[in-house]
Amino acid sequence: MFEEAQYLAPVTRRADGSIEVELSRSHPGFADPVYRERRNRIAELALRHVPGEPIPAVEYTPEEHEVWRIVSAELAVAHRELAVAEYLHGCERLALPKDRIPQLEEVSDWLEPLTGFRYLPAAGLVELREFYGTLADSLFHSTQYIRHHSVPLYTPEPDVVHEVIGHANALASDRFAALYRLAGEAARRVETREALEFVSKVFWFTLEFGVMAEGGELKAYGAGILSSYGEIREFRQMDIRPLDLAAMGTTTYDITHYQDVLFRAESMAHLEDVVGAFWATCDDDAIARLALPVS
Ligand code: NLE
Ligand code: FE2
């Protein structure tokens, strides 16, 4: 979670010290007091995490595990048809459970021997530089709550399905993990807010919502497409544009609905050559030149 951070529900502390997650009126769980209480408890748990200590385990309810089972099953079918091979390779290596929500500590223990990545719990919004910067240390900030059961096919708000099925499977691939780390290094290197936002938008249009040509078809590798069994069935109909750093870094997007503008890499190597090399070397000056309006 990060840029999507704009959508993340604000977390506030009440006078009595308890935690309140403020869901917006349009959130499917807004009028569900049981869901809202769950969100408050899970945010509290994340806030209790001490760096270096194991991530506090959430005792998920049978209903929450059921949401995971439904979404996992739908996504597994969609992925075989619509996900890039490198992501499927990550799925095979990580072998996530399909019958229950895994704990972030478990996900970390499975990922670390593969690519070095571990997860950190996030109660709510994580500041942009912190979210991206820690990727350079092979750390991924993640929410722990699950989407509301009434709308399992899509949530604009990153949840544990998105963070784990979308991102952890990619982070189990050496090639994708290397790209995440390079994004983190870029976020640490740039100084201005504008440059940081440019780096984060390139991340949004690639590791979050990227698509790729493969075997004469269009496949998805972005975690935001790969965690929504609604959106993954639609991406081929969207406005598909060629991979272009200046365009990705300056195009605006609305996180509350399916993404209608997507950028296509021609292969993994093409993504690495263009986006990986950009993150590996970019600085404020280079980004300022890229961000200049074309006259
Ligand atoms: N739209 C994604 C999903 O439904 O899984 C989550 C948000 C990605 C930014
Ligand atoms: Fe994400």
Side-chain angles (χ1 to χ4, degrees), residues 45 48-57 104-105 109 118-119 121 144:
L45 207 64
R48 282 212 293 271
H49 177 244
V50 179
E53 298 281 314
I55 300 170
L104 296 187
E105 188 66 16
D109 289 345
R118 294 194 66 87
Y119 271 44
Q144 285 174 288

Side-chain angles (χ1 to χ4, degrees), residues 1 42 45-46 49 53-60 68 94 96-97 100-112 117-123 140-145 159-165 167-168:
M1 48 159 256
I42 291 172
L45 207 64
H49 177 244
E53 298 281 314
I55 300 170
V58 177
E59 281 183 40
Y60 292 109
W68 177 274
L94 194 57
L96 287 171
R100 65 178 180 91
I101 308 171
Q103 298 293 335
L104 296 187
E105 188 66 16
E106 293 179 288
V107 174
S108 294
D109 289 345
W110 299 327
L111 262 183
E112 193 169 20
F117 263 91
R118 294 194 66 87
Y119 271 44
L120 287 176
F140 188 87
H141 285 273
S142 169
T143 57
Q144 285 174 288
Y145 57 82
D159 69 336
V160 67
V161 168
H162 169 70
E163 316 277 28
V164 174
I165 298 184
H167 288 293

Side-chain angles (χ1 to χ4, degrees), residues 141-217:
H141 285 273
S142 169
T143 57
Q144 285 174 288
Y145 57 82
I146 197 158
R147 61 195 60 194
H148 194 258
H149 58 79
S150 63
V151 194
L153 87 171
Y154 174 83
T155 166
E157 189 189 42
D159 69 336
V160 67
V161 168
H162 169 70
E163 316 277 28
V164 174
I165 298 184
H167 288 293
N169 281 322
L171 290 167
S173 138
D174 293 306
R175 294 178 81 173
F176 279 122
L179 286 167
Y180 278 77
R181 270 189 286 268
L182 288 172
E185 289 167 20
R188 288 224 169 125
R189 189 181 321 112
V190 299
E191 290 172 13
T192 65
R193 180 78 198 172
E194 291 70 28
L196 179 62
E197 283 173 6
F198 190 104
V199 167
S200 85
K201 285 175 105 182
V202 172
F203 186 98
W204 177 266
F205 285 114
T206 58
L207 296 174
E208 206 61 71
F209 282 96
V211 296
M212 188 180 287
E214 196 173 83
E217 290 184 311

